[in-house]
Amino acid sequence: MAKGKWQVFSNHFNSREVYRVGRIKDTNEPLNGGNVEYYDDENTINVWTYNKTEKEQLAERLNRARQ
């Protein structure tokens, strides 16, 4: 089972775009809510946020650390 790269997911709440970092759990399966792992640790609680740039930077750091 190959995991995907960390990326920014978006959704609409209260007519605004919000963002969160996640990745596909199994790249051999289609993207759906059960096949997404959202990033969370003791220092970075990954809640939905309006700050897309912050989440893009987090995804980039996670992908660099993975290499």
Side-chain angles (χ1 to χ4, degrees):
M1 176 171 66
K3 293 189 177 194
K5 290 173 62 171
W6 292 103
Q7 60 187 321
V8 178
F9 288 88
S10 65
N11 207 338
H12 278 50
F13 290 126
N14 297 324
S15 302
R16 290 186 68 186
E17 196 82 13
V18 291
Y19 306 95
R20 189 171 187 184
V21 174
R23 64 180 171 183
I24 297 175
K25 291 180 191 179
D26 184 351
T27 57
N28 296 315
E29 297 294 324
L31 176 60
N32 63 61
N35 192 23
V36 176
E37 169 187 12
Y38 291 107
Y39 179 75
D40 192 14
D41 70 13
E42 65 276 356
N43 298 318
T44 307
I45 299 171
N46 188 36
V47 296
W48 293 99
T49 181
Y50 297 117
N51 189 336
K52 183 178 181 181
T53 302
E54 172 188 303
K55 296 304 177 181
E56 289 172 334
Q57 291 170 349
L58 174 58
E60 287 175 22
R61 283 194 311 271
L62 291 169
N63 286 321
R64 277 195 309 268
R66 211 177 133 188
Q67 295 174 353

mmCIF file of all heavy atoms in Angstrom, residues 6 8 20-21 39-41 44-46 52-64:
data_model
loop_
_atom_site.group_PDB
_atom_site.id
_atom_site.type_symbol
_atom_site.label_atom_id
_atom_site.label_comp_id
_atom_site.label_asym_id
_atom_site.label_seq_id
_atom_site.Cartn_x
_atom_site.Cartn_y
_atom_site.Cartn_z
ATOM 1 N N TRP A 6 1.777 14.480 0.730
ATOM 2 C CA TRP A 6 0.980 15.407 1.520
ATOM 3 C C TRP A 6 0.528 16.537 0.597
ATOM 4 O O TRP A 6 1.301 17.018 -0.220
ATOM 5 C CB TRP A 6 1.787 15.971 2.686
ATOM 6 C CG TRP A 6 2.106 14.941 3.718
ATOM 7 C CD1 TRP A 6 3.304 14.321 3.906
ATOM 8 C CD2 TRP A 6 1.234 14.404 4.703
ATOM 9 N NE1 TRP A 6 3.223 13.432 4.950
ATOM 10 C CE2 TRP A 6 1.957 13.463 5.456
ATOM 11 C CE3 TRP A 6 -0.104 14.619 5.030
ATOM 12 C CZ2 TRP A 6 1.389 12.746 6.506
ATOM 13 C CZ3 TRP A 6 -0.664 13.902 6.076
ATOM 14 C CH2 TRP A 6 0.084 12.981 6.805
ATOM 15 N N VAL A 8 -2.764 19.863 0.105
ATOM 16 C CA VAL A 8 -3.770 20.704 0.744
ATOM 17 C C VAL A 8 -5.144 20.329 0.203
ATOM 18 O O VAL A 8 -5.355 20.303 -1.004
ATOM 19 C CB VAL A 8 -3.479 22.203 0.497
ATOM 20 C CG1 VAL A 8 -4.553 23.062 1.129
ATOM 21 C CG2 VAL A 8 -2.103 22.573 1.044
ATOM 22 N N ARG A 20 -6.849 22.174 4.801
ATOM 23 C CA ARG A 20 -6.286 21.205 5.728
ATOM 24 C C ARG A 20 -5.299 20.324 4.974
ATOM 25 O O ARG A 20 -5.470 20.045 3.796
ATOM 26 C CB ARG A 20 -7.422 20.345 6.290
ATOM 27 C CG ARG A 20 -7.014 19.453 7.411
ATOM 28 C CD ARG A 20 -8.218 18.807 8.037
ATOM 29 N NE ARG A 20 -7.788 18.093 9.220
ATOM 30 C CZ ARG A 20 -8.584 17.363 9.962
ATOM 31 N NH1 ARG A 20 -9.847 17.239 9.653
ATOM 32 N NH2 ARG A 20 -8.116 16.748 11.018
ATOM 33 N N VAL A 21 -4.263 19.840 5.643
ATOM 34 C CA VAL A 21 -3.247 18.997 5.012
ATOM 35 C C VAL A 21 -3.594 17.527 5.230
ATOM 36 O O VAL A 21 -3.917 17.104 6.338
ATOM 37 C CB VAL A 21 -1.846 19.294 5.593
ATOM 38 C CG1 VAL A 21 -0.812 18.321 5.047
ATOM 39 C CG2 VAL A 21 -1.439 20.721 5.271
ATOM 40 N N TYR A 39 -3.117 15.221 8.507
ATOM 41 C CA TYR A 39 -1.930 15.407 9.344
ATOM 42 C C TYR A 39 -2.311 16.004 10.690
ATOM 43 O O TYR A 39 -3.106 16.939 10.788
ATOM 44 C CB TYR A 39 -0.931 16.331 8.649
ATOM 45 C CG TYR A 39 0.287 16.554 9.502
ATOM 46 C CD1 TYR A 39 1.237 15.556 9.635
ATOM 47 C CD2 TYR A 39 0.467 17.730 10.197
ATOM 48 C CE1 TYR A 39 2.350 15.735 10.442
ATOM 49 C CE2 TYR A 39 1.572 17.918 11.002
ATOM 50 C CZ TYR A 39 2.500 16.918 11.127
ATOM 51 O OH TYR A 39 3.584 17.093 11.925
ATOM 52 N N ASP A 40 -1.708 15.460 11.728
ATOM 53 C CA ASP A 40 -1.919 15.949 13.091
ATOM 54 C C ASP A 40 -0.775 15.433 13.952
ATOM 55 O O ASP A 40 -0.361 14.293 13.817
ATOM 56 C CB ASP A 40 -3.247 15.428 13.615
ATOM 57 C CG ASP A 40 -3.701 16.110 14.891
ATOM 58 O OD1 ASP A 40 -3.147 17.165 15.246
ATOM 59 O OD2 ASP A 40 -4.625 15.594 15.537
ATOM 60 N N ASP A 41 -0.213 16.279 14.797
ATOM 61 C CA ASP A 41 0.749 15.833 15.793
ATOM 62 C C ASP A 41 0.597 16.694 17.036
ATOM 63 O O ASP A 41 -0.248 17.571 17.087
ATOM 64 C CB ASP A 41 2.190 15.835 15.252
ATOM 65 C CG ASP A 41 2.770 17.219 15.025
ATOM 66 O OD1 ASP A 41 2.194 18.218 15.496
ATOM 67 O OD2 ASP A 41 3.811 17.314 14.370
ATOM 68 N N THR A 44 1.280 20.443 16.015
ATOM 69 C CA THR A 44 0.514 21.044 14.932
ATOM 70 C C THR A 44 -0.843 20.368 14.852
ATOM 71 O O THR A 44 -1.012 19.353 14.192
ATOM 72 C CB THR A 44 1.240 20.862 13.573
ATOM 73 O OG1 THR A 44 2.561 21.339 13.706
ATOM 74 C CG2 THR A 44 0.531 21.606 12.472
ATOM 75 N N ILE A 45 -1.804 20.936 15.522
ATOM 76 C CA ILE A 45 -3.149 20.402 15.428
ATOM 77 C C ILE A 45 -3.715 20.873 14.097
ATOM 78 O O ILE A 45 -3.838 22.065 13.843
ATOM 79 C CB ILE A 45 -4.021 20.875 16.602
ATOM 80 C CG1 ILE A 45 -3.415 20.377 17.906
ATOM 81 C CG2 ILE A 45 -5.447 20.393 16.422
ATOM 82 C CD1 ILE A 45 -4.046 20.952 19.131
ATOM 83 N N ASN A 46 -3.995 19.939 13.228
ATOM 84 C CA ASN A 46 -4.379 20.272 11.863
ATOM 85 C C ASN A 46 -5.887 20.455 11.745
ATOM 86 O O ASN A 46 -6.599 19.567 11.320
ATOM 87 C CB ASN A 46 -3.895 19.188 10.899
ATOM 88 C CG ASN A 46 -4.114 19.638 9.479
ATOM 89 O OD1 ASN A 46 -3.974 20.804 9.178
ATOM 90 N ND2 ASN A 46 -4.478 18.722 8.620
ATOM 91 N N LYS A 52 -4.441 29.351 3.484
ATOM 92 C CA LYS A 52 -3.974 28.350 2.523
ATOM 93 C C LYS A 52 -2.452 28.282 2.482
ATOM 94 O O LYS A 52 -1.877 27.196 2.420
ATOM 95 C CB LYS A 52 -4.522 28.670 1.137
ATOM 96 C CG LYS A 52 -4.147 27.646 0.100
ATOM 97 C CD LYS A 52 -4.755 27.988 -1.251
ATOM 98 C CE LYS A 52 -4.397 26.947 -2.289
ATOM 99 N NZ LYS A 52 -4.954 27.286 -3.605
ATOM 100 N N THR A 53 -1.788 29.435 2.531
ATOM 101 C CA THR A 53 -0.322 29.476 2.458
ATOM 102 C C THR A 53 0.304 28.681 3.594
ATOM 103 O O THR A 53 1.264 27.935 3.387
ATOM 104 C CB THR A 53 0.179 30.932 2.487
ATOM 105 O OG1 THR A 53 -0.419 31.637 1.395
ATOM 106 C CG2 THR A 53 1.684 31.004 2.388
ATOM 107 N N GLU A 54 -0.222 28.821 4.795
ATOM 108 C CA GLU A 54 0.291 28.083 5.952
ATOM 109 C C GLU A 54 0.205 26.583 5.704
ATOM 110 O O GLU A 54 1.151 25.841 5.985
ATOM 111 C CB GLU A 54 -0.527 28.467 7.185
ATOM 112 C CG GLU A 54 -0.238 27.659 8.416
ATOM 113 C CD GLU A 54 -1.226 27.986 9.522
ATOM 114 O OE1 GLU A 54 -1.325 29.172 9.893
ATOM 115 O OE2 GLU A 54 -1.907 27.051 9.988
ATOM 116 N N LYS A 55 -0.894 26.111 5.166
ATOM 117 C CA LYS A 55 -1.075 24.683 4.916
ATOM 118 C C LYS A 55 -0.208 24.207 3.757
ATOM 119 O O LYS A 55 0.312 23.088 3.777
ATOM 120 C CB LYS A 55 -2.551 24.359 4.671
ATOM 121 C CG LYS A 55 -3.427 24.630 5.878
ATOM 122 C CD LYS A 55 -2.935 23.872 7.104
ATOM 123 C CE LYS A 55 -3.758 24.202 8.324
ATOM 124 N NZ LYS A 55 -3.311 23.524 9.519
ATOM 125 N N GLU A 56 -0.007 25.032 2.735
ATOM 126 C CA GLU A 56 0.891 24.675 1.634
ATOM 127 C C GLU A 56 2.317 24.503 2.146
ATOM 128 O O GLU A 56 3.018 23.561 1.758
ATOM 129 C CB GLU A 56 0.846 25.738 0.535
ATOM 130 C CG GLU A 56 -0.437 25.749 -0.243
ATOM 131 C CD GLU A 56 -0.554 26.921 -1.197
ATOM 132 O OE1 GLU A 56 0.070 27.983 -0.953
ATOM 133 O OE2 GLU A 56 -1.289 26.792 -2.183
ATOM 134 N N GLN A 57 2.747 25.392 3.029
ATOM 135 C CA GLN A 57 4.095 25.303 3.596
ATOM 136 C C GLN A 57 4.249 24.050 4.448
ATOM 137 O O GLN A 57 5.294 23.387 4.413
ATOM 138 C CB GLN A 57 4.408 26.557 4.402
ATOM 139 C CG GLN A 57 4.559 27.786 3.543
ATOM 140 C CD GLN A 57 4.639 29.071 4.340
ATOM 141 O OE1 GLN A 57 4.382 29.096 5.546
ATOM 142 N NE2 GLN A 57 4.985 30.151 3.666
ATOM 143 N N LEU A 58 3.227 23.709 5.212
ATOM 144 C CA LEU A 58 3.265 22.494 6.022
ATOM 145 C C LEU A 58 3.374 21.263 5.127
ATOM 146 O O LEU A 58 4.196 20.371 5.377
ATOM 147 C CB LEU A 58 2.025 22.399 6.909
ATOM 148 C CG LEU A 58 1.859 21.105 7.709
ATOM 149 C CD1 LEU A 58 3.048 20.855 8.624
ATOM 150 C CD2 LEU A 58 0.555 21.120 8.486
ATOM 151 N N ALA A 59 2.588 21.194 4.064
ATOM 152 C CA ALA A 59 2.644 20.055 3.139
ATOM 153 C C ALA A 59 4.028 19.938 2.510
ATOM 154 O O ALA A 59 4.581 18.838 2.401
ATOM 155 C CB ALA A 59 1.571 20.194 2.067
ATOM 156 N N GLU A 60 4.621 21.060 2.121
ATOM 157 C CA GLU A 60 5.967 21.046 1.535
ATOM 158 C C GLU A 60 6.987 20.504 2.531
ATOM 159 O O GLU A 60 7.847 19.688 2.174
ATOM 160 C CB GLU A 60 6.367 22.442 1.082
ATOM 161 C CG GLU A 60 5.650 22.915 -0.158
ATOM 162 C CD GLU A 60 5.982 24.360 -0.515
ATOM 163 O OE1 GLU A 60 7.043 24.862 -0.090
ATOM 164 O OE2 GLU A 60 5.169 24.974 -1.214
ATOM 165 N N ARG A 61 6.917 20.964 3.796
ATOM 166 C CA ARG A 61 7.849 20.475 4.823
ATOM 167 C C ARG A 61 7.694 18.969 5.033
ATOM 168 O O ARG A 61 8.673 18.239 5.146
ATOM 169 C CB ARG A 61 7.626 21.213 6.144
ATOM 170 C CG ARG A 61 8.199 22.591 6.197
ATOM 171 C CD ARG A 61 8.257 23.157 7.608
ATOM 172 N NE ARG A 61 7.027 23.042 8.370
ATOM 173 C CZ ARG A 61 6.041 23.944 8.373
ATOM 174 N NH1 ARG A 61 6.135 25.037 7.642
ATOM 175 N NH2 ARG A 61 4.965 23.770 9.113
ATOM 176 N N LEU A 62 6.470 18.500 5.094
ATOM 177 C CA LEU A 62 6.212 17.070 5.313
ATOM 178 C C LEU A 62 6.752 16.235 4.150
ATOM 179 O O LEU A 62 7.324 15.173 4.364
ATOM 180 C CB LEU A 62 4.715 16.822 5.510
ATOM 181 C CG LEU A 62 4.124 17.376 6.797
ATOM 182 C CD1 LEU A 62 2.613 17.316 6.749
ATOM 183 C CD2 LEU A 62 4.670 16.632 8.011
ATOM 184 N N ASN A 63 6.569 16.713 2.932
ATOM 185 C CA ASN A 63 7.052 15.966 1.772
ATOM 186 C C ASN A 63 8.577 15.971 1.694
ATOM 187 O O ASN A 63 9.184 14.969 1.316
ATOM 188 C CB ASN A 63 6.435 16.521 0.479
ATOM 189 C CG ASN A 63 4.975 16.126 0.346
ATOM 190 O OD1 ASN A 63 4.596 15.010 0.692
ATOM 191 N ND2 ASN A 63 4.163 17.041 -0.121
ATOM 192 N N ARG A 64 9.211 17.080 2.073
ATOM 193 C CA ARG A 64 10.682 17.115 2.111
ATOM 194 C C ARG A 64 11.224 16.149 3.156
ATOM 195 O O ARG A 64 12.210 15.450 2.931
ATOM 196 C CB ARG A 64 11.179 18.523 2.397
ATOM 197 C CG ARG A 64 11.255 19.415 1.191
ATOM 198 C CD ARG A 64 12.082 20.659 1.440
ATOM 199 N NE ARG A 64 11.709 21.400 2.624
ATOM 200 C CZ ARG A 64 10.833 22.411 2.657
ATOM 201 N NH1 ARG A 64 10.246 22.814 1.564
ATOM 202 N NH2 ARG A 64 10.572 23.027 3.773
#
